[in-house]
Amino acid sequence: TNRRRKRRRRISSMQGSTTSFDSYDLIFYVLVAQAYRAAFASGYNFLLTFVLSVQLCAGSYVWWRLGECVDRRPSGHKTVRPRVIRMHRRRLSVYDKLPRPVSNPFVNDTWRIGEMDRLRISFNSIILFPLRLLGMIVSILIGATVATIATYGLPSSPSLKSIEDLYAYIDQRGVGLPSSGEEKLKFAYKYVSERANARKYSSETINKMEEKELLRVASKSLRHICWYRPLPPWRRLMLQPIRYVARSILFFTGYLWIDTRGELASPDEAPILVSNHVSFCDPAFMVFAAFPAPIAAAEHLKLPGLGSVVKAIQAVTFDRFSASSRHEVKQELINRAKKGSGWSHILIYPEATCTNGENLITFKAGAFNPGRPVQMIGVKYSGRFNPAWVSAGP
């Protein structure tokens, strides 16, 4: 029995340390070789020689950089398990006798690869990666074009030509304005100073501005009132191709098949969706599966290509350097989560950071402040490699 156990352990350790090329990889390499052969036969020898030289240099560089990721431990090496700690809540508690393994949610240990993985990644980085990158760029451009067409005619910022326009904007946002003229003006200055970028404009600087300068800063800092109302159904229908654009991005990233389980509740039943955050692929999958409005930083609106998509799906954006941004986001969540409001789902990552997907950390209370039902969605990445964006990851 002991010999069988040792033999099984040795075989399993050898299988885990090395991997071979898949049949799909070999078929793809044969097709690429035939394409190069046909290109050489057509007479483009100088251009193809230059391309092959660049690919050879790039592949050699990737091979050299992956040297630090190769697992050089012996085949019979036993994985050291995490240390065991005990719960000491109460002296007479039953939990004191139950061990609990410690697992760090910010550690990704899947970066160790074998020599065959190193060779495979080096080949794919010069052959398959450019094609995938090109496909992702084309998908992003298509999504940006669809978002621009669907939101055509909707201004990004308000056109405030007089102080009365600013008063009307504040009143449409549901903020109570004072009755007297002086109090109105002071409130308008305070409203703009709290929502302007604190790095560019301090409250003292805004308070010393004239009305024209104040209106110029307000036009740049505030979003148009139309973005705080649901888009009409015909515009939402025009935005539906973005879901398939998100799926194509996942396809070119390498996720050919996605298994989904369960049913998505309607926005009236559960207006808020909460999910674990592992990598940049999570938002793309959520857009494809539910097409929600996520909570994102205001910097995402300036991303080339993706900024128009973030604006089109009416994401709840917040300014990291604004004093009242958190309060506005909280109030916006309450308004959108109301039953019959006409808004789509709201996507929130309650952990507020990326983890390795194997553990949960403390939730923030933002998703539960509106007091409405919440639907939880778990994203699990299969395969040997975990794409988690954590501090101790690859």
Side-chain angles (χ1 to χ4, degrees), residues 176-311:
L177 281 170
S179 57
S180 62
E182 294 183 0
E183 295 295 330
K184 265 189 178 182
L185 188 60
K186 289 182 180 180
F187 187 84
Y189 272 90
K190 182 180 178 182
Y191 186 87
V192 176
S193 63
E194 289 178 349
R195 287 152 183 81
N197 194 328
R199 286 188 172 184
K200 296 182 179 179
Y201 310 101
S202 62
S203 58
E204 297 178 356
T205 305
I206 293 179
N207 291 330
K208 296 178 181 179
M209 290 181 179
E210 297 181 356
E211 290 187 6
K212 291 184 179 180
E213 188 70 16
L214 177 69
L215 295 174
R216 186 184 65 82
V217 174
S219 298
K220 289 185 177 181
S221 304
L222 304 178
R223 295 189 70 186
H224 198 273
I225 195 65
C226 64
W227 298 110
Y228 297 99
R229 298 170 182 170
L231 292 177
W234 65 273
R235 289 187 183 271
R236 295 286 299 180
L237 183 62
M238 292 180 64
L239 289 172
Q240 291 304 311
I242 294 181
R243 303 182 62 174
Y244 302 99
V245 168
R247 183 61 185 92
S248 65
I249 292 176
L250 292 174
F251 178 83
F252 289 116
T253 307
Y255 299 100
L256 308 182
W257 308 104
I258 300 178
D259 183 20
T260 57
R261 301 177 184 178
E263 296 181 359
L264 183 67
S266 63
D268 291 335
E269 295 176 347
I272 300 176
L273 306 178
V274 294
S275 174
N276 58 322
H277 197 11
V278 180
S279 71
F280 73 97
C281 299
D282 307 336
F285 169 73
M286 295 302 297
V287 168
F288 167 69
F291 203 58
I295 295 181
E299 290 81 4
H300 290 85
L301 296 171
K302 301 179 181 179
L303 293 176
L306 294 177
S308 57
V309 177
V310 173
K311 182 175 66 174

Side-chain angles (χ1 to χ4, degrees), residues 38-58:
F40 271 112
S42 60
Y44 296 98
N45 297 336
F46 177 76
L47 180 61
L48 289 177
T49 303
F50 174 75
V51 172
L52 288 175
S53 302
V54 173
Q55 289 183 335
L56 180 62
C57 295

Side-chain angles (χ1 to χ4, degrees), residues 76-126:
H77 177 76
K78 296 181 180 180
T79 304
V80 180
R81 296 182 178 180
R83 62 186 182 90
V84 178
I85 65 172
R86 296 185 179 275
M87 307 290 292
H88 298 288
R89 295 181 180 176
R90 288 187 292 271
R91 182 170 296 181
L92 299 179
S93 176
V94 68
Y95 295 102
D96 295 341
K97 301 178 182 180
L98 298 177
R100 181 172 65 90
V102 177
S103 180
N104 193 339
F106 302 107
V107 171
N108 183 6
D109 198 27
T110 60
W111 55 271
R112 297 183 180 275
I113 60 176
E115 291 291 346
M116 291 300 296
D117 289 329
R118 185 182 181 185
L119 181 63
R120 179 181 179 181
I121 295 173
S122 301
F123 268 108
N124 290 338
S125 63
I126 60 176

